[in-house]
Amino acid sequence: RTHAVYPHSSTLAVCWMKRPVVDQPLPEAWQSWVDGLTSVLSEGLLPLFLLHCRRGQPRVPVSSLASSLDAAGGHPVPGAAAVGVVRLLAEICPDAVSLEEGVGPGQLFIALKLSPKALRLEDDKNGARMPSSCAGVVAKGFSLALPSSSGASGPGLKDPQGKRWRKAQGEFYADSTLIERELNDHKVKITRLIFSFAEAHREEEPPHFIMDAEVAVPAQSSGSSPCTAFSDTGSAAAPSSATGQATPSPAGTFSNESVLNFVSSLQEHPEYKRQVCHVESFCERPAEYADFDDLVDAAGKPLLSAPVVEALRGQLGIQRLFRHQHSSLKAVMRDKKHLCLTTGTSSGKSLAFALPILEDFRRDPSTRALILFPTKALAQDQLGKLQKLFRAVCPGLGVCTFDGDTARADRADLLKNCHVFLTNPDMLHFTILSYHSRWRHILENLRYVVLDEAHVYRASFGTHIALLLRRFRRVLNHYNAKPRFLACSASIRNASAFFSQLLGFDETKEECAAVDDDTAGRGQRRFCIWNPPEIEAEDGNQEMPLAPRQDRNAQKRARFREKEGGGAAARLPPGVGFRTRSSSYDQAAWILAQAMRRGHRAVCFLQVRVMVEIVLQATTAHLEDRPDLQKRVAAYRGGYSAEERRRLEQKLFSGELLGVVATNALELGIDIGDLDVTIHVGVPPTVASIWQQAGRAGRRGRASAAVLVAMDAPLEQHFCRHPEEFFARTLEARVPDVTNEFLLHGHLLCAAAELAPLGEGEVKQWFGEAVLPVVEECRREGRLLVQSQRPGAASDSEGMLLRYCQVKGRKAPKEEVNLRDIDPVQFQVMVRGNTTPLETLDQKTAYMRLHPGALYLNQQWAYFVEELDLNARIAWVVPRNPKHLDYYTECREHSQVVLSGGGKARAAALSQELLRALGTPVVRCGGVKVHWRMYGFRKKSKQDHRILDQIDLTLPAVEYPTQAVWMDLPGGVLQPVAEAGLSVDRGGLHALEHAMIALAPLVCDLESAELSCQHTRRDSDPNRYLLLLYEGQKGGAGTASKVYAQWEVLLSRAVRLIEECPCESGCPNCIVVPRCGEYNHGLDKLAAVKIGRALGFGLGPPPPVPNTFASPHNASAIEHLEPAVSAVPSAEDGEAVVQVPPAHTEPASTQVQPIERKLWDAGVFKRRLNGAGMATSSAGERTCLELD
């Protein structure tokens, strides 16, 4: 029995075939030959033929079949043997298979002889039977064969309300079903003929597959076989030393060996310049299994019924379970616990949550399940896999996707007939919770809620999801539903704590089982850290890097004036454009091109969306001598239309594409087939991301290679010097911060609007004590009204009920809450003379990428932005030939931070000697307000990414509240730096902030893009002498709190990084970062080192302890408070600085307030300053404490 699945189909075709009854089994050689040939038929030829039929092409190019086989790693035969395979099939079964020669030389097509009714053949003008044209209409991800009015290919009708449309839809689905039915019949027939042929020639040697360098040539087999024999996998040709090319290697052991030696082959290339600084080898890990018989409950009764086990073994070929699947099923089905399963990619997590749903449905057909995916694309991809599983094991179980793309006319039928719904958090927020009465039947019978790819719920997105799930559980509680929550995630260390906080199990005291032992097995992997060569070695120019920066900038100005016709260029400040190494993006493009030349399927991951098209262009340039490979590389990123993404995913899966340049949009579990090599430009933001991306290659036990191309940035260069720290990083997920009042505000109003009334007890139960100030704020706004207390309540607070009130001029709460923090202000990109937008971007991104004068890239096309209409929210662009452009543009931005006051404070953990001598530096964490604006842009060279010009431009400011963490440095630390003639604020503190942001992912397990600093410090800025980092997310996401807890460790590592760098005055390897709003102007490496050493950090010995300063303000009043506090003058105005020793820091709320009261009464503070911590006296007076 064979189970046939066509992955390109919207429906599932299942056929049952009986092998011919023979007295004896086939010899092992013949059995392997038969299995290989039938695999080519079912996994390669039939899906491709079905896809081409839907495109109106009832035949398949043999070259497409060869590409598909190569994409599968040459399993079961290499692509070069495709010609011999199709010729053999045509000779064995001439009634079902035919070969046709193409017009061009060497073109060969294979066709299956289906009925004219299935192919919808029509008579053309010459009387020939041709397939009807396709009008390009898309429905459910596949092209509809809709004939245009003229009968020729063209746009045809596009009116979805027309009768012709509905008729064409019905005909398409009917014909699609007919095609699949006839393909099933052909598969049965061809498979029987293959078995009969093998049985008839069992005494002979099976035909061989011989691969030539160019094409598979027929070879005469030994024996009396009536068919043409063809190849076997031999060794591949060695790569050419001149071009670095190699013939595509077949799969099997040679393919694995070729992939593992990929880095070695790059080292032998003539253009190699010692870029490899470390190669980590990961050995193959065997899988660990458990039998179905061991899956029993406490009474010894099997947890899986016999029909389910039989279907898994017979139809799906699953004979055993991985041990982690076995443990997960016992925790859910036997122990009735919630589950968090954290294992690597391709470890069978879907089966772990699908089998409990199947078993519950078999016992109770009213069972319903909800599966949440982070994206719609992932839900669409998993739909086919779950359909295959459910229909094979339990045909009556209906599964569907329910998201924003689901037609409204179909939603009512889906709610009635489906049992498992695949959706996303956005649909849960906007539809299910808002209209939960329509989902009553579903929610009352909900047994399982699955969260797939749960590791992506981090930062503010994770906080939003945590609050959303608390609202969801409140609605479920209203309907007396008690489903089990199952989470599947990449490998993380603190799985149980993360999942419990995500769902609020800590408040409800529910138990969650965590399974984190990955037993799925893993193939061999080589992980290489690749450091681009230094510019001296690349350019062969030893004088340029050693020349003064001012001279280099003068040379760039002269080159620019010559290029622009002698006009005066804009001012380039010192230090701009200085780089020590060649472009990481160009290095990644070269590696991707080399992988494609060797026949490896590869994906290059980038962190910056705008660089995707640039790397794509560079890759095609490296493949200039291979036009056939240039057509097999494409870009994949967010912002493309759904149809474009589906088309690219289909090309990846079928093997039509050999390389792809992508953002983290391909990081999740979308099935794009088997990959061999992954390339990563820069260190991904989290540890889970790097291994999730690397796990896209080497699936199903195949060998793989990963190459991390280091950026010319501090963190990457730190890992190049200390690779052991990169591989020793822990996989720890960030627990969502559900105390964020900015995000609590919107979700509290949503909960009150979804299910009224909202009792105060419910508020504390689902949102915790932190929501109480938010309740008072909503009451002051008039959006929450207090209802009469509940009868029989023991107290007023217990019986207080809250109802939502819609305020005039305000949107509904669900529209104000943006789960993915997408700006509601959206700008469209329009081409002059066209009415179809190329892309839609949020306000901040539009200011950065679509400002006047910017170069906007989309796929391999470039556009010049002529106008940004702020009123109509449209960016007008005109196309430009990218080959004639030698530069791209980059935004210049600036942020000003204003302290809001409040928060928490503690003394810095320093040595007692320094504390006594300098006073105690205080670390604070609190709210701030950020004013962001875009004030210009840069022109940067495509070749080496150096700055060519800077243009001033002003756009409206964007303001938002957030959280920050900062350190008040005593005058004893800063004054010696100033006396040495060094820049304290713009030089030393700014450089330290850059290094701390760069190393934050290593120390605090967060994304460096989540943090920013005061890039521009003016003399009037009251925060100029603060070492300050703030979150870029509106309202904050808990990042500042993590940095606050690890402040000393982060500062110590930053000082060490700066000291280890061999440069003299700062470079991209230590303090120069690409996202600096002040374009790294004025950074001072020596000042940063002096400040770090004064605090006791760094590699060298600490400096001499300076003399303790005496306070000119009421010294006697301070002396009697010792050792509680001490005071020293700050760097300006002689103001007193409060020193809080470690013994008086925890908790801050109980220790700082009494000290503040005593200091205020003693008259230490002569004036009140903004940005202060607050306390209230008995008389109600508001007092301020300034820690400066």
Side-chain angles (χ1 to χ4, degrees), residues 368-384:
R368 298 294 185 269
L370 193 69
I371 305 178
L372 295 176
F373 295 94
T375 62
K376 293 187 294 185
L378 186 57
Q380 292 287 348
D381 178 75
Q382 295 293 323
L383 176 62

PDB file of all heavy atoms in Angstrom, residues 368-384:
ATOM      1  N   ARG A 368     -13.374  20.425  19.455  1.00  0.00           N
ATOM      2  CA  ARG A 368     -12.851  21.485  18.615  1.00  0.00           C
ATOM      3  C   ARG A 368     -11.454  21.857  19.104  1.00  0.00           C
ATOM      4  O   ARG A 368     -11.125  21.684  20.285  1.00  0.00           O
ATOM      5  CB  ARG A 368     -13.749  22.724  18.659  1.00  0.00           C
ATOM      6  CG  ARG A 368     -15.161  22.494  18.132  1.00  0.00           C
ATOM      7  CD  ARG A 368     -15.155  22.176  16.641  1.00  0.00           C
ATOM      8  NE  ARG A 368     -16.488  22.075  16.103  1.00  0.00           N
ATOM      9  CZ  ARG A 368     -17.201  20.950  16.034  1.00  0.00           C
ATOM     10  NH1 ARG A 368     -16.668  19.823  16.523  1.00  0.00           N
ATOM     11  NH2 ARG A 368     -18.405  20.929  15.498  1.00  0.00           N
ATOM     12  N   ALA A 369     -10.641  22.373  18.181  1.00  0.00           N
ATOM     13  CA  ALA A 369      -9.266  22.761  18.508  1.00  0.00           C
ATOM     14  C   ALA A 369      -8.924  24.031  17.747  1.00  0.00           C
ATOM     15  O   ALA A 369      -9.403  24.263  16.633  1.00  0.00           O
ATOM     16  CB  ALA A 369      -8.273  21.653  18.166  1.00  0.00           C
ATOM     17  N   LEU A 370      -8.071  24.838  18.349  1.00  0.00           N
ATOM     18  CA  LEU A 370      -7.619  26.099  17.767  1.00  0.00           C
ATOM     19  C   LEU A 370      -6.094  26.090  17.762  1.00  0.00           C
ATOM     20  O   LEU A 370      -5.462  25.895  18.802  1.00  0.00           O
ATOM     21  CB  LEU A 370      -8.146  27.276  18.585  1.00  0.00           C
ATOM     22  CG  LEU A 370      -8.033  28.670  17.971  1.00  0.00           C
ATOM     23  CD1 LEU A 370      -8.965  28.809  16.781  1.00  0.00           C
ATOM     24  CD2 LEU A 370      -8.366  29.733  19.021  1.00  0.00           C
ATOM     25  N   ILE A 371      -5.511  26.285  16.575  1.00  0.00           N
ATOM     26  CA  ILE A 371      -4.062  26.287  16.429  1.00  0.00           C
ATOM     27  C   ILE A 371      -3.639  27.677  15.978  1.00  0.00           C
ATOM     28  O   ILE A 371      -4.048  28.147  14.916  1.00  0.00           O
ATOM     29  CB  ILE A 371      -3.582  25.223  15.424  1.00  0.00           C
ATOM     30  CG1 ILE A 371      -4.116  23.840  15.817  1.00  0.00           C
ATOM     31  CG2 ILE A 371      -2.073  25.201  15.345  1.00  0.00           C
ATOM     32  CD1 ILE A 371      -3.733  22.742  14.850  1.00  0.00           C
ATOM     33  N   LEU A 372      -2.828  28.343  16.803  1.00  0.00           N
ATOM     34  CA  LEU A 372      -2.374  29.701  16.519  1.00  0.00           C
ATOM     35  C   LEU A 372      -0.964  29.663  15.943  1.00  0.00           C
ATOM     36  O   LEU A 372      -0.041  29.115  16.559  1.00  0.00           O
ATOM     37  CB  LEU A 372      -2.385  30.546  17.790  1.00  0.00           C
ATOM     38  CG  LEU A 372      -3.745  30.820  18.436  1.00  0.00           C
ATOM     39  CD1 LEU A 372      -3.558  31.595  19.734  1.00  0.00           C
ATOM     40  CD2 LEU A 372      -4.639  31.583  17.495  1.00  0.00           C
ATOM     41  N   PHE A 373      -0.806  30.248  14.754  1.00  0.00           N
ATOM     42  CA  PHE A 373       0.500  30.402  14.120  1.00  0.00           C
ATOM     43  C   PHE A 373       0.861  31.887  14.107  1.00  0.00           C
ATOM     44  O   PHE A 373      -0.010  32.734  13.995  1.00  0.00           O
ATOM     45  CB  PHE A 373       0.485  29.864  12.685  1.00  0.00           C
ATOM     46  CG  PHE A 373       0.246  28.380  12.598  1.00  0.00           C
ATOM     47  CD1 PHE A 373      -1.028  27.876  12.414  1.00  0.00           C
ATOM     48  CD2 PHE A 373       1.304  27.490  12.693  1.00  0.00           C
ATOM     49  CE1 PHE A 373      -1.248  26.517  12.328  1.00  0.00           C
ATOM     50  CE2 PHE A 373       1.091  26.130  12.612  1.00  0.00           C
ATOM     51  CZ  PHE A 373      -0.184  25.637  12.436  1.00  0.00           C
ATOM     52  N   PRO A 374       2.138  32.216  14.185  1.00  0.00           N
ATOM     53  CA  PRO A 374       2.497  33.643  14.194  1.00  0.00           C
ATOM     54  C   PRO A 374       2.128  34.374  12.912  1.00  0.00           C
ATOM     55  O   PRO A 374       1.837  35.564  12.946  1.00  0.00           O
ATOM     56  CB  PRO A 374       4.017  33.624  14.404  1.00  0.00           C
ATOM     57  CG  PRO A 374       4.326  32.286  14.960  1.00  0.00           C
ATOM     58  CD  PRO A 374       3.316  31.357  14.394  1.00  0.00           C
ATOM     59  N   THR A 375       2.143  33.671  11.771  1.00  0.00           N
ATOM     60  CA  THR A 375       1.883  34.315  10.488  1.00  0.00           C
ATOM     61  C   THR A 375       0.877  33.508   9.696  1.00  0.00           C
ATOM     62  O   THR A 375       0.711  32.296   9.891  1.00  0.00           O
ATOM     63  CB  THR A 375       3.179  34.453   9.671  1.00  0.00           C
ATOM     64  OG1 THR A 375       3.705  33.144   9.385  1.00  0.00           O
ATOM     65  CG2 THR A 375       4.232  35.246  10.439  1.00  0.00           C
ATOM     66  N   LYS A 376       0.218  34.186   8.757  1.00  0.00           N
ATOM     67  CA  LYS A 376      -0.710  33.509   7.864  1.00  0.00           C
ATOM     68  C   LYS A 376       0.020  32.544   6.936  1.00  0.00           C
ATOM     69  O   LYS A 376      -0.523  31.483   6.599  1.00  0.00           O
ATOM     70  CB  LYS A 376      -1.496  34.537   7.044  1.00  0.00           C
ATOM     71  CG  LYS A 376      -2.452  35.389   7.848  1.00  0.00           C
ATOM     72  CD  LYS A 376      -3.319  36.251   6.959  1.00  0.00           C
ATOM     73  CE  LYS A 376      -2.514  37.289   6.234  1.00  0.00           C
ATOM     74  NZ  LYS A 376      -3.363  38.218   5.461  1.00  0.00           N
ATOM     75  N   ALA A 377       1.224  32.927   6.498  1.00  0.00           N
ATOM     76  CA  ALA A 377       1.968  32.063   5.581  1.00  0.00           C
ATOM     77  C   ALA A 377       2.281  30.717   6.225  1.00  0.00           C
ATOM     78  O   ALA A 377       2.178  29.671   5.575  1.00  0.00           O
ATOM     79  CB  ALA A 377       3.264  32.762   5.158  1.00  0.00           C
ATOM     80  N   LEU A 378       2.639  30.719   7.498  1.00  0.00           N
ATOM     81  CA  LEU A 378       2.953  29.467   8.175  1.00  0.00           C
ATOM     82  C   LEU A 378       1.697  28.617   8.338  1.00  0.00           C
ATOM     83  O   LEU A 378       1.743  27.392   8.211  1.00  0.00           O
ATOM     84  CB  LEU A 378       3.584  29.761   9.534  1.00  0.00           C
ATOM     85  CG  LEU A 378       4.101  28.560  10.324  1.00  0.00           C
ATOM     86  CD1 LEU A 378       5.109  27.782   9.510  1.00  0.00           C
ATOM     87  CD2 LEU A 378       4.712  29.013  11.641  1.00  0.00           C
ATOM     88  N   ALA A 379       0.555  29.247   8.603  1.00  0.00           N
ATOM     89  CA  ALA A 379      -0.690  28.494   8.715  1.00  0.00           C
ATOM     90  C   ALA A 379      -1.059  27.851   7.389  1.00  0.00           C
ATOM     91  O   ALA A 379      -1.493  26.685   7.338  1.00  0.00           O
ATOM     92  CB  ALA A 379      -1.811  29.418   9.190  1.00  0.00           C
ATOM     93  N   GLN A 380      -0.898  28.578   6.288  1.00  0.00           N
ATOM     94  CA  GLN A 380      -1.201  28.007   4.974  1.00  0.00           C
ATOM     95  C   GLN A 380      -0.268  26.848   4.656  1.00  0.00           C
ATOM     96  O   GLN A 380      -0.670  25.845   4.069  1.00  0.00           O
ATOM     97  CB  GLN A 380      -1.077  29.090   3.897  1.00  0.00           C
ATOM     98  CG  GLN A 380      -2.122  30.180   3.968  1.00  0.00           C
ATOM     99  CD  GLN A 380      -3.491  29.702   3.509  1.00  0.00           C
ATOM    100  OE1 GLN A 380      -3.622  28.631   2.933  1.00  0.00           O
ATOM    101  NE2 GLN A 380      -4.520  30.498   3.781  1.00  0.00           N
ATOM    102  N   ASP A 381       0.988  26.974   5.059  1.00  0.00           N
ATOM    103  CA  ASP A 381       1.947  25.899   4.791  1.00  0.00           C
ATOM    104  C   ASP A 381       1.623  24.650   5.600  1.00  0.00           C
ATOM    105  O   ASP A 381       1.742  23.526   5.098  1.00  0.00           O
ATOM    106  CB  ASP A 381       3.359  26.396   5.111  1.00  0.00           C
ATOM    107  CG  ASP A 381       4.412  25.326   4.907  1.00  0.00           C
ATOM    108  OD1 ASP A 381       4.732  25.037   3.747  1.00  0.00           O
ATOM    109  OD2 ASP A 381       4.898  24.765   5.902  1.00  0.00           O
ATOM    110  N   GLN A 382       1.211  24.822   6.862  1.00  0.00           N
ATOM    111  CA  GLN A 382       0.917  23.671   7.706  1.00  0.00           C
ATOM    112  C   GLN A 382      -0.433  23.038   7.385  1.00  0.00           C
ATOM    113  O   GLN A 382      -0.691  21.910   7.807  1.00  0.00           O
ATOM    114  CB  GLN A 382       0.935  24.098   9.178  1.00  0.00           C
ATOM    115  CG  GLN A 382       2.303  24.542   9.670  1.00  0.00           C
ATOM    116  CD  GLN A 382       3.291  23.401   9.717  1.00  0.00           C
ATOM    117  OE1 GLN A 382       2.948  22.269  10.043  1.00  0.00           O
ATOM    118  NE2 GLN A 382       4.533  23.682   9.369  1.00  0.00           N
ATOM    119  N   LEU A 383      -1.285  23.754   6.663  1.00  0.00           N
ATOM    120  CA  LEU A 383      -2.603  23.211   6.356  1.00  0.00           C
ATOM    121  C   LEU A 383      -2.509  21.904   5.591  1.00  0.00           C
ATOM    122  O   LEU A 383      -3.185  20.921   5.924  1.00  0.00           O
ATOM    123  CB  LEU A 383      -3.412  24.241   5.553  1.00  0.00           C
ATOM    124  CG  LEU A 383      -4.791  23.778   5.058  1.00  0.00           C
ATOM    125  CD1 LEU A 383      -5.700  23.437   6.228  1.00  0.00           C
ATOM    126  CD2 LEU A 383      -5.420  24.844   4.169  1.00  0.00           C
ATOM    127  N   GLY A 384      -1.672  21.867   4.549  1.00  0.00           N
ATOM    128  CA  GLY A 384      -1.548  20.647   3.757  1.00  0.00           C
ATOM    129  C   GLY A 384      -1.028  19.475   4.566  1.00  0.00           C
ATOM    130  O   GLY A 384      -1.494  18.336   4.405  1.00  0.00           O
TER     131      GLY A 384
END
